[in-house]
Amino acid sequence: MMKEKILQVPKTILIPVSAFIRRYLWLIIGISIITFFLTIAFYSKDVQTRTVGWEKSFYVSPYNIQTKNVKIAARGNLIAIVYEGMENKKNAIYVSISFDGGDQYLQPIKIADTSTSIDQNPHIAISSNGHIAVVWQSIPVDDPNTRLFYTYSTDMGATWNDPTRLYLPSETELLPGIYYDNRNFLHLFYCASKDESFNLFHIVSKDEKIFKPPEEPLVKISRGLRGAFFPTVLFLEEYIYIVWQGKEEKEDLISDDLFFMRSSNYGDSFSERERITKGKFNDGSPCILLHKDIIYLVYHNNQDKNWAIKLLKGFDRGETWDKKPITISSTNADCYSPKAVISNTGDLVITWHDTGEIKPRVFARKYSIREKKLSPIAMLSNNRISARNPVSISIKNKVIVVWDGADRVTAKYSDVHVDPPKVYSLTHPEGKWLRSPNPQIEWTPPKDESGIVGYATFINNLKDFDPTIQNYDRNIKKIRIPDLENGITYFHIRAIDGAGNYSRTKHYKFQISKNPLPMPVISSTTHSEGKAEKSRNPIFQWSLDESIRLKGFVYSISKNTITKPDKFTTDFKAEFKDLEMGRYFFNIRSVDKTNLLSRIASYEIIVEKAEEIDTEAYNQIAKGIYKEPKKEKIKKVIKKKPKPSVDIIFPFDISHNFNESSFDVQIETKNINEKMIIGYSMYLGNEMQMPADRINQNEKTIKISDIKSGEYFLGIKCRYYIMRNKKKKYYWTDPIVKKFSIQLPPEVSPVLSYMDSISNRIAEIRVVVSVSLMALIVSIATGFGTKLSFYTRLFQSRINRFIRML
């Protein structure tokens, strides 16, 4: 028998094959192990997807700082976030700043070192001029009790003052809150133990440097009140509203209730406390907001065994309160630290954290103030990471929520706003009256983080209307509107995003005039229709029921026939004067804003008298075939335009001689636009001569001076232009020359003038001497000779005086 041959594989082949198999076997085992551990590590019974209406969360603080007790404040686009942090086992207070509404944050700034690891509970505020203030509680080295510290920045957080301790007359202080009013005064509210009670206190600083210690607490602890804690403060102009938590004895049970106080003078005085929650259960952690004179209060409550979030409304700024609150959280888990803000859409966004899972989680819910509805609850945090104590602000069309998230400051931005669509119509542009009643309206969807899911639309004649029901899905972007009525109609549309936000309403106006307007109704206060009246000055007036589509009227008045109206007016009255005797028809039509004319309305009047006409004649007049009496044709006389000319105005009558050497002559132009005058050519001389073709006078006043006696000729002509075919054509007026004469008085020599004056004086002396001699003769003749010597001396003295006068 032949031996069976055994096939043997060479060792050089077996070794590579076995190594290849082992390598891939180990690779499969490794992948399986990694897959198993990844599945265990990332397994959760809740599927994690991006919450509709909220962006992906991110960290504000760096990884190397362990953080807690975060607070936030905003003013315009300036956001400041304060929190406690521990780096390299050293505790401090940090602030993170954003100047662009939260798009980017600067590296955190350490504003104070703290020597203790207890909760510092920092609080932050921003003034209208960019100052930032921070207050916190801490235990000083030399004091076993909790005290308050604060610091502030005057340059939007770039630099900070050294921390300052507040020395207050109390045993211990904690839970501070700091605020700026509209005067930029700094207000500090805090809780303190004093006189064996725990109470609320309020102090104010006008310069951010000096706080005056309080004289007395805000709340009078009496009538069974066991204390006041955890205030929430709201500033509005000079008003301050406070809700706080306190214990009041009730029968055999002591529970926490919420109390309300207000001030109308920046906190100089406060009203008496008012208890706004009642019941055998606890209310705590209040937070208040004001919107259109309604105070919205959110708080936690344990009426349903577990702690739940409630919402209560105070009307007329807290004058009256709802008796029954609205439940915000619907989980069986305990919910804590509620906070709320008003979004730019007027909705209330409420946040809190609960302890329903292994680790706390942050939630949010929106309450529509307009529709009084609650949105579904949205979980903002990751259920694998601890998250608690959310705080929020509303800025730049969104709500920003930050919270303590596993030793990191975590933030998330909401999508609580959606822009309206852009609406247009190619067939019916807005603002234009058209006759077609079937417009096509189109719109462009806005961009939105949650996506557009549909639109709410409505059509009516109301200028302001907000549709609330979605009637088109996101794929519809244009519609045809059939048979609109005459007048103005509005198409209202709002976009709806995936978060359930409604945009503001876009109102698109259609202006339709598809039918002619009715005829005007005519009346007259001077002429009854069809009856003879003596007045030759008729007055007509008319009315029209519809005015929205009305542009105006066209009218005419004609004798013995109805003519087509052709004179436009927007008035409702017309007057005519001095009409001739006869029959007239006043004709008028309505004109709508598309220039569509109504039928003609006519009104017959008779001035003084007219021949009677029969029914057939009226029918012919109505049909426009009535033959009027022939009228003599009147040739139109075309008046020629007056010729441009100049004239010379003298200040004297040139027909007589003038006796002055200087005077002003005025140039007067006729039938020439003053703006088109370039200048004048003037001639002045003793011979008759025309002015030359050159401009030597620019003003209308010619000043003539130092002229001598004689005859003169003054000539003037004007240079001007006329626009013809957008070009200037230059012309001279016809010249005008006028003759005048100057006759100056003869000149007198100064010597001769002096001699004349001497002669006049001597003549005067002669008269005086004659009078004196006559007096002397009379005195002698009348028997006064004994006094002759006296009169002689008197005469001599007078003669001497007259000689001196020379």
Side-chain angles (χ1 to χ4, degrees):
M1 291 180 62
M2 294 181 61
K3 292 184 179 180
E4 185 179 33
K5 292 184 179 180
I6 299 175
L7 180 62
Q8 293 183 352
V9 179
K11 291 183 178 181
T12 56
I13 297 177
L14 287 176
I15 293 175
V17 172
S18 60
F20 178 83
I21 294 174
R22 285 196 303 270
R23 182 166 58 187
Y24 274 91
L25 181 62
W26 282 113
L27 180 61
I28 293 171
I29 294 173
I31 292 174
S32 300
I33 294 173
I34 293 172
T35 302
F36 173 80
F37 281 105
L38 287 175
T39 302
I40 295 297
F42 291 97
Y43 171 78
S44 173
K45 66 181 181 181
D46 293 331
V47 177
Q48 292 298 312
T49 60
R50 197 185 91 177
T51 306
V52 174
W54 293 87
E55 298 178 355
K56 184 179 180 180
S57 58
F58 63 94
Y59 293 121
V60 175
S61 62
Y63 71 93
N64 57 320
I65 300 177
Q66 299 179 20
T67 64
K68 62 179 179 179
N69 292 329
V70 61
K71 296 293 187 300
I72 189 171
R75 179 80 69 164
N77 284 332
L78 176 62
I79 299 176
I81 302 176
V82 65
Y83 46 90
E84 302 172 38
M86 185 176 67
E87 183 179 14
N88 298 327
K89 298 183 179 181
K90 293 182 180 180
N91 297 301
I93 305 294
Y94 293 88
V95 172
S96 293
I97 302 290
S98 173
F99 294 104
D100 53 10
D103 292 340
Q104 293 180 334
Y105 290 88
L106 303 179
Q107 288 295 318
I109 303 170
K110 183 169 67 173
I111 62 173
D113 292 310
T114 57
S115 58
T116 177
S117 60
I118 67 166
D119 286 347
Q120 314 289 311
N121 289 320
H123 195 263
I124 194 166
I126 304 176
S127 70
S128 62
N129 58 2
H131 292 199
I132 306 176
V134 176
V135 65
W136 66 93
Q137 65 190 36
S138 186
I139 298 177
V141 177
D142 56 350
D143 192 336
N145 297 312
T146 304
R147 302 299 180 184
L148 301 185
F149 296 81
Y150 85 102
T151 183
Y152 64 94
S153 168
T154 60
D155 51 14
M156 293 187 289
T159 59
W160 293 79
N161 292 307
D162 293 333
T164 301
R165 175 185 168 180
L166 292 172
Y167 290 89
L168 302 170
S170 48
E171 298 171 8
T172 184
E173 304 94 31
L174 68 160
L175 302 176
I178 201 163
Y179 309 87
Y180 282 101
D181 64 22
N182 61 355
R183 305 167 301 175
N184 289 329
F185 288 7
L186 196 57
H187 294 252
L188 177 62
F189 292 84
Y190 62 96
C191 300
S193 176
K194 185 180 180 182
D195 299 331
E196 298 182 354
S197 64
F198 207 80
N199 210 328
L200 300 179
F201 292 86
H202 171 227
I203 54 178
V204 182
S205 174
K206 297 181 180 180
D207 57 2
E208 303 170 311
K209 298 177 182 178
I210 300 175
F211 284 92
K212 184 179 179 181
E215 296 179 358
E216 58 183 15
L218 290 181
V219 183
K220 296 180 180 180
I221 304 297
S222 60
R223 298 181 183 178
L225 190 64
R226 301 288 297 275
F229 319 88
F230 305 108
T232 175
V233 184
L234 175 66
F235 279 77
L236 183 65
E237 297 176 347
E238 68 271 21
Y239 291 90
I240 304 177
Y241 303 94
I242 304 178
V243 173
W244 46 276
Q245 174 183 340
K247 289 182 178 294
E248 193 172 43
E249 295 180 355
K250 297 180 295 183
E251 299 176 356
D252 58 346
L253 180 67
I254 298 177
S255 61
D256 284 355
D257 290 313
L258 299 181
F259 297 83
F260 176 66
M261 297 170 62
R262 81 191 85 194
S263 170
S264 59
N265 52 15
Y266 292 103
D268 292 342
S269 61
F270 281 86
S271 64
E272 293 292 329
R273 71 177 186 265
E274 175 188 353
R275 195 171 107 193
I276 55 178
T277 61
K278 300 176 182 179
K280 296 181 180 180
F281 42 81
N282 288 293
D283 303 303
S285 297
C287 176
I288 58 173
L289 295 168
L290 181 67
H291 181 70
K292 293 184 178 180
D293 289 336
I294 298 179
I295 294 178
Y296 293 88
L297 166 64
V298 294
Y299 58 98
H300 61 219
N301 168 278
N302 66 348
Q303 181 179 6
D304 301 323
K305 295 183 181 179
N306 62 289
W307 289 96
I309 306 301
K310 303 287 184 176
L311 170 64
L312 198 65
K313 288 181 281 188
F315 303 95
D316 296 328
R317 299 192 178 189
E319 291 292 336
T320 58
W321 294 81
D322 276 338
K323 293 183 179 180
K324 185 177 180 181
I326 301 171
T327 300
I328 301 300
S329 62
S330 56
T331 178
N332 293 326
D334 288 331
C335 301
Y336 302 100
S337 62
K339 292 291 185 293
V341 293
I342 300 288
S343 70
N344 72 316
T345 58
D347 295 327
L348 196 67
V349 179
I350 305 166
T351 57
W352 70 92
H353 79 266
D354 76 356
T355 56
E357 295 293 330
I358 298 175
K359 295 182 179 180
R361 301 169 300 173
V362 171
F363 292 88
R365 195 172 197 182
K366 182 177 69 174
Y367 174 76
S368 174
I369 294 175
R370 182 179 60 251
E371 299 175 5
K372 297 180 177 55
K373 293 181 180 180
L374 286 167
S375 70
I377 296 176
M379 185 173 70
L380 304 187
S381 63
N382 190 323
N383 64 355
R384 298 188 302 274
I385 300 175
S386 177
R388 62 179 71 242
N389 300 324
V391 291
S392 55
I393 57 171
S394 179
I395 188 172
K396 290 179 64 175
N397 295 335
K398 60 181 64 178
V399 172
I400 300 176
V401 182
V402 296
W403 63 82
D404 298 335
D407 297 333
R408 299 283 296 275
V409 176
T410 308
K412 177 167 282 196
Y413 295 170
S414 73
D415 176 16
V416 296
H417 169 83
V418 56
D419 290 323
K422 294 180 180 179
V423 186
Y424 59 95
S425 175
L426 298 177
T427 61
H428 287 66
E430 196 168 16
K432 187 175 182 180
W433 284 89
L434 296 168
R435 298 177 187 176
S436 171
N438 305 308
Q440 179 171 290
I441 189 76
E442 303 180 45
W443 58 87
T444 302
K447 294 182 180 179
D448 191 80
E449 297 166 354
S450 300
I452 302 300
V453 298
Y455 305 92
T457 69
F458 205 84
I459 301 171
N460 58 24
N461 58 0
L462 299 178
K463 184 177 181 180
D464 296 310
F465 182 83
D466 295 325
T468 58
I469 299 175
Q470 178 181 339
N471 52 358
Y472 291 108
D473 63 27
R474 62 184 178 184
N475 297 320
I476 304 298
K477 297 177 184 178
K478 64 180 178 181
I479 58 172
R480 175 73 68 173
I481 303 174
D483 199 22
L484 290 181
E485 296 180 354
N486 284 314
I488 295 176
T489 305
Y490 292 92
F491 173 75
H492 313 281
I493 183 169
R494 301 170 73 186
I496 309 170
D497 69 2
N501 299 308
Y502 280 68
S503 73
R504 63 178 176 84
T505 306
K506 187 74 173 180
H507 311 281
Y508 194 91
K509 182 168 66 173
F510 294 111
Q511 299 172 148
I512 305 298
S513 184
K514 59 184 178 181
N515 300 321
L517 289 168
M519 293 187 301
V521 179
I522 310 171
S523 63
S524 175
T525 58
T526 59
H527 290 70
S528 300
E529 188 170 15
K531 294 183 179 180
E533 303 286 352
K534 293 182 178 181
S535 173
R536 295 192 173 200
N537 304 314
I539 299 174
F540 301 96
Q541 56 192 22
W542 54 90
S543 61
L544 193 71
D545 292 337
E546 189 172 351
S547 61
I548 295 177
R549 296 189 290 145
L550 179 64
K551 180 179 181 180
F553 306 92
V554 287
Y555 68 93
S556 66
I557 190 167
S558 53
K559 191 175 183 180
N560 295 327
T561 185
I562 296 175
T563 59
K564 183 179 180 181
D566 56 0
K567 187 174 181 180
F568 180 79
T569 182
T570 57
D571 294 332
F572 286 78
K573 184 178 181 181
E575 300 181 18
F576 301 90
K577 295 185 181 296
D578 300 326
L579 295 184
E580 296 178 354
M581 183 177 61
R583 176 178 285 103
Y584 292 86
F585 292 91
F586 177 74
N587 316 295
I588 189 169
R589 306 174 78 176
S590 305
V591 184
D592 74 0
K593 291 179 179 177
T594 66
N595 296 322
L596 188 63
L597 298 172
S598 71
R599 292 189 296 119
I600 299 176
S602 296
Y603 189 94
E604 178 191 9
I605 66 169
I606 298 176
V607 176
E608 293 186 359
K609 64 179 181 178
E611 295 182 0
E612 293 186 2
I613 57 176
D614 55 15
T615 305
E616 180 61 27
Y618 276 115
N619 290 333
Q620 290 179 359
I621 290 173
K623 295 177 181 179
I625 58 175
Y626 180 76
K627 294 183 179 180
E628 298 183 50
K630 293 183 178 181
K631 298 180 181 179
E632 295 183 0
K633 294 184 179 180
I634 301 175
K635 294 182 179 180
K636 294 184 178 180
V637 178
I638 301 173
K639 294 182 179 181
K640 293 183 178 181
K641 291 184 178 179
K643 190 176 181 180
S645 63
V646 294
D647 195 5
I648 305 173
I649 309 299
F650 286 87
F652 53 87
D653 186 358
I654 61 175
S655 62
H656 298 84
N657 293 335
F658 189 59
N659 59 359
E660 293 184 14
S661 62
S662 298
F663 53 89
D664 291 346
V665 177
Q666 302 295 326
I667 301 174
E668 183 180 83
T669 58
K670 297 179 181 179
N671 308 315
I672 305 176
N673 190 333
E674 294 288 338
K675 296 181 180 179
M676 297 181 177
I677 295 176
I678 300 174
Y680 308 90
S681 175
M682 181 194 74
Y683 164 75
L684 178 62
N686 300 109
E687 297 179 357
M688 177 64 179
Q689 187 174 325
M690 296 296 171
D693 290 340
R694 66 175 182 274
I695 296 174
N696 56 9
Q697 174 71 22
N698 293 316
E699 303 295 332
K700 282 196 168 187
T701 300
I702 303 173
K703 294 185 177 294
I704 299 176
S705 59
D706 299 331
I707 193 170
K708 297 180 180 181
S709 298
E711 291 186 351
Y712 293 91
F713 295 90
L714 178 61
I716 292 294
K717 64 180 179 180
C718 176
R719 184 68 166 171
Y720 65 97
Y721 70 89
I722 297 176
M723 298 299 297
R724 296 186 186 278
N725 298 324
K726 297 183 180 180
K727 292 184 179 181
K728 293 181 179 180
K729 299 291 185 179
Y730 295 90
Y731 302 92
W732 286 100
T733 63
D734 293 337
I736 182 171
V737 180
K738 288 189 177 183
K739 178 183 176 182
F740 65 95
S741 299
I742 302 296
Q743 184 62 50
L744 301 176
E747 296 183 356
V748 181
S749 171
V751 176
L752 294 177
S753 178
Y754 181 71
M755 291 301 293
D756 289 342
S757 65
I758 294 297
S759 300
N760 292 334
R761 292 183 182 182
I762 291 174
E764 293 175 357
I765 292 173
R766 288 173 180 171
V767 174
V768 174
V769 171
S770 299
V771 173
S772 300
L773 289 174
M774 182 60 66
L776 179 59
I777 294 169
V778 172
S779 65
I780 294 172
T782 54
F784 289 97
T786 57
K787 298 180 181 179
L788 179 61
S789 60
F790 169 78
Y791 288 106
T792 300
R793 289 192 297 271
L794 176 62
F795 175 73
Q796 290 176 349
S797 65
R798 289 180 176 177
I799 292 297
N800 293 334
R801 186 175 62 181
F802 282 116
I803 292 173
R804 286 195 301 271
M805 290 175 61
L806 297 176

